[in-house]
């Protein structure tokens, strides 16, 4: 990486990229029909706390000194971990009744109800049902915010993996593809790059998982 950077810095005249710092679930400060290509690596629905990672990164760069400087960050992030999710039954029901989930409602309700039952048998009682509901509402919102900013015929590449919290399988890439279509995008296909959860002896569950590129076009 440092060799690449040195090579670029000797030949580059100036930055050619224009950076917009945005939260993808908010309105995007971009012209309509602007993007012809979207390449992204969004959070996976696998309980990694990006607020914690952000705290580390911002502290390293001197942009934050403590949790106080990071107030509100967790609220802006896609809900992909239990720290950002609710286990409150009424709130989960509210999330699940969000109209953005209509295309996957029958399936996601079944998965969340199973997660809620399994939770009662576990010491940690993690609210994975709330995490999954929040994750798909947020990702559906992201597709809705992206649609007007993308030109007709856009190509989008989402690096994603599926998930099985408490061993309950969640078909992440298919559901994301269906939510993207409901937001007005066209065809989608998944190109697997590797299997996951096949090697380690201390796995929390043995459901085979994979990750790869979700291509969405149109
Ligand atoms: C799988 S990581 C990708 C990291 C990136 N490829 C990199 O090398 O830094 C997912 C990233 O999405 C960011 N993220 C989560 N919610 C977001 C949101 N609502 N808007 C924009 N970015 C978000 C996280 O902070 C995290 O940096």
């Amino acid at each position: 990486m440092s060799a690449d950077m040195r090579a670029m810095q000797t030949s580059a005249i100036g930055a050619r990229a224009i950076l917009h710092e945005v939260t993808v679930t908010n309105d995007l400060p971009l012209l309509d029909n602007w993007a012809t290509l979207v390449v992204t690596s969004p959070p996976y629905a696998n309980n990694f706390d990006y607020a914690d990672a952000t705290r580390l990164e911002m502290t390293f760069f001197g942009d934050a000194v403590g949790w106080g400087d990071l107030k509100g960050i967790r609220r802006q992030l896609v809900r992909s971990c239990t720290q950002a999710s609710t286990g409150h039954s009424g709130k989960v029901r509210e999330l699940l009744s969000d109209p953005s989930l209509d295309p996957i409602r029958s399936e996601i309700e079944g998965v969340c109800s199973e997660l809620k039952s399994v939770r009662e048998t576990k010491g940690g009682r993690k609210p994975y049902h709330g995490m999954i509901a929040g994750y798909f509402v947020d990702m559906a919102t992201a597709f809705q915010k992206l649609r007007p900013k993308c030109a007709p015929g856009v190509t989008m590449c989402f690096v994603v993996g599926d998930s099985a919290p408490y061993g309950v399988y969640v078909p992440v890439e298919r559901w994301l593809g269906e939510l993207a279509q409901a937001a007005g995008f066209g065809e989608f296909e998944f190109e697997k790059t590797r299997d996951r959860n096949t090697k380690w002896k201390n796995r929390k569950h043995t459901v085979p998982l994979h990750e790869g590129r979700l291509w969405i076009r149109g």
Side-chain angles (χ1 to χ4, degrees), residues 11 14 17 19 44 54 61 71 79 122 125 149 156 178 187 199 202-203 205 208:
S11 60
L19 293 180
Y44 290 9
T54 303
F61 286 113
K71 262 196 204 130
R79 282 165 282 195
K122 306 282 184 180
R125 298 191 75 250
K149 307 301 168 187
M156 301 207 296
E178 288 171 10
E187 294 305 303
K199 283 190 198 142
N202 62 349
R203 292 176 288 169
H205 60 78

Side-chain angles (χ1 to χ4, degrees), residues 2-14:
S2 72
D4 279 356
M5 285 163 77
R6 263 196 302 277
M8 286 307 294
Q9 282 162 12
T10 53
S11 60
I13 302 159

Side-chain angles (χ1 to χ4, degrees), residues 22-26 41-44 50-51 54 57 76-79:
V22 302
T23 298
V24 74
T25 39
N26 290 347
S41 163
Y44 290 9
Y50 281 103
T54 303
E57 290 160 2
Q76 293 180 46
L77 296 174
V78 167
R79 282 165 282 195

Side-chain angles (χ1 to χ4, degrees), residues 197-209:
N197 203 40
T198 49
K199 283 190 198 142
W200 312 109
K201 294 271 185 292
N202 62 349
R203 292 176 288 169
K204 293 215 169 90
H205 60 78
T206 53
V207 179
L209 297 174

Side-chain angles (χ1 to χ4, degrees), residues 93-107:
R93 257 200 312 277
E94 199 179 300
L95 280 171
L96 286 172
S97 63
D98 193 293
S100 66
L101 295 184
D102 283 353
I104 59 169
R105 175 166 325 286
S106 57
E107 286 185 273

